[in-house]
């Protein structure tokens, strides 16, 4: 597998309570740590992949450091209690980008995810910048060419930017172009987008692409009438769901460890109200958490918050 590296064993460590009871277990004790990239050996389970890349963030003039996110998120997840669903997690290593080689890294992530999906695995990817979404999402589209795939983004940003080169600001425009090439619908919903964080040009592109947007203020002030019907529509009208979570959707006080902390943001308890019905629908095929930057994480608080999101997704995915 191109650009693939196994995970450092130091990621998966924690407190050992197994002497208390046979089921007093934490994720570091129940995760399967694969020494090689062999998805066919883990059919029906959940593949965890890291995308150690922030080349897209750099191109988008953001704060570098997200390439170290996969290690930090695994480390924070490792010591959490293992309950239903967590025992299915298989760590299949990292795709590690080379400097100035974003497109090569995205292709390698695409190929790794596609291999996992063809082995009937779900995929959970720890980014990396939001350039993760093109590699991950394009693989889901290719894995299910004849199905209606919903692309759900929890994000302060629409990431539909026009640019000469791919970056962390272009993944959904790239996915729209892929859908055009494949002559299929581009079914993109963004929850949490901020008017203050997106230029009028980006809103115009969203309108041109028929993107559904539920803004941050709508989530905060009218969740039942604005968000819940859209969640219901997505589940009813699509065969598969690809969910991507840009951690800068959270308020800066909950998540400062990102390239662009949100001045307002959507708190975690509301994000979980979006994530739970999606996961419980049985249609979520792939999830990623992106933009976590350990360089700006105070006392590991952001890593714990992001890891709790991943923990909850894995639990609801069962």
């Amino acid at each position: 597998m191109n650009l693939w590296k196994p995970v450092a064993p130091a990621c998966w460590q924690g407190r050992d309570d197994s002497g208390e009871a046979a089921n007093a277990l934490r994720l570091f004790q129940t995760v399967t740590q694969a020494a090689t990239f062999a998805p066919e050996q883990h059919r029906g389970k959940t593949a965890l992949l890291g995308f150690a890349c922030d080349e897209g963030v750099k191109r988008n003039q953001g704060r570098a450091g997200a390439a170290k996110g996969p290690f930090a998120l695994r480390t924070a997840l490792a010591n959490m209690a293992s309950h239903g669903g967590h025992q299915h997690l298989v760590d299949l290593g990292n795709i590690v980008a080379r400097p100035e080689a974003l497109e090569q890294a995205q292709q390698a992530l695409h190929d790794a995810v596609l291999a996992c999906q063809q082995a009937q695995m779900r995929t959970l990817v720890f980014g990396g910048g939001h350039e993760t979404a093109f590699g991950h999402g394009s693989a889901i589209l290719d894995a299910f060419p004849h199905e209606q795939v919903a692309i759900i983004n929890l994000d302060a940003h629409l990431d539909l930017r026009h640019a000469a080169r791919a970056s962390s600001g272009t993944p959904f425009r790239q996915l729209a172009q892929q859908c055009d090439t494949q002559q299929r619908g581009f079914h993109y919903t963004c929850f949490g987008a901020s008017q203050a964080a997106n230029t009028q040009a980006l809103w115009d592109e969203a309108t041109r692409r028929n993107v559904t947007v539920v803004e941050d203020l709508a989530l905060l002030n009218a969740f039942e009438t604005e968000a819940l019907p859209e969640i219901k529509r997505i589940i009813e009208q699509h065969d598969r769901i690809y969910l991507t979570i840009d951690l800068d959707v959270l308020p800066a006080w909950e998540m400062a460890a990102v390239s662009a902390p949100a001045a307002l943001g959507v708190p975690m308890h509301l994000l979980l109200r979006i994530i739970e019905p999606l996961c419980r629908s049985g249609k979520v095929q792939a999830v990623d958490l992106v933009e976590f930057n350990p360089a700006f994480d105070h006392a590991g608080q952001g890593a714990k918050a992001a890891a709790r999101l991943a923990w909850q997704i894995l639990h609801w995915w069962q």
Side-chain angles (χ1 to χ4, degrees), residues 220 247-258 261-269 271:
L220 293 169
L247 293 165
D248 71 22
V249 71
L250 291 162
W253 54 269
E254 280 191 334
M255 183 57 67
V258 288
L264 180 62
V266 181
M268 187 181 294
H269 74 275
L271 294 185

Side-chain angles (χ1 to χ4, degrees), residues 52-89:
C53 176
D54 55 13
E55 295 303 312
V57 174
K58 294 174 185 176
R59 289 186 186 181
N60 204 32
Q61 303 177 47
R63 302 192 296 179
K68 296 181 179 179
F71 181 90
L73 294 181
R74 283 182 172 97
T75 301
L77 183 63
N79 202 44
M80 293 184 173
S82 183
H83 289 280
H86 299 129
Q87 74 278 12
H88 301 305
L89 187 65

